[in-house]
Amino acid sequence: MRINRYARSSRIANNGRGSSNACAAIYYAVKNDLIAYERRTLKQGERLDIIAGQVYNNGSLWWVIAAASGIGWGLQVPGGTVITIPTNMSDINLLVG
């Protein structure tokens, strides 16, 4: 039996959050300075789910950082990569509704 890794994530499965449309909306908002964000350079071995857990208290929101950074769907990206972290989840909720 094959299990979808997103099957238990209501944010992604039920509302279209984490979809390509939601990711594109977040990336567009960052590129056009429509939402607040901060930039951070990753250290070797840092993962987006761990950072999302620290910033949003929810590691499953790693895809928000990936979308804002335009880096695709990798949880772990190389050290030295500059990532973009949206600072207000209310802005994200408005974008992906």
Side-chain angles (χ1 to χ4, degrees), residues 41-77:
T41 302
L42 288 178
K43 297 176 186 156
Q44 187 66 32
E46 284 189 298
R47 293 184 359 200
L48 298 184
D49 59 334
I50 302 299
I51 294 168
Q54 294 166 346
V55 174
Y56 305 130
N57 294 320
N58 186 344
S60 70
L61 294 175
W62 63 270
W63 64 270
V64 172
I65 299 169
S69 303
I71 58 172
W73 288 97
L75 287 174
Q76 188 168 356
V77 293

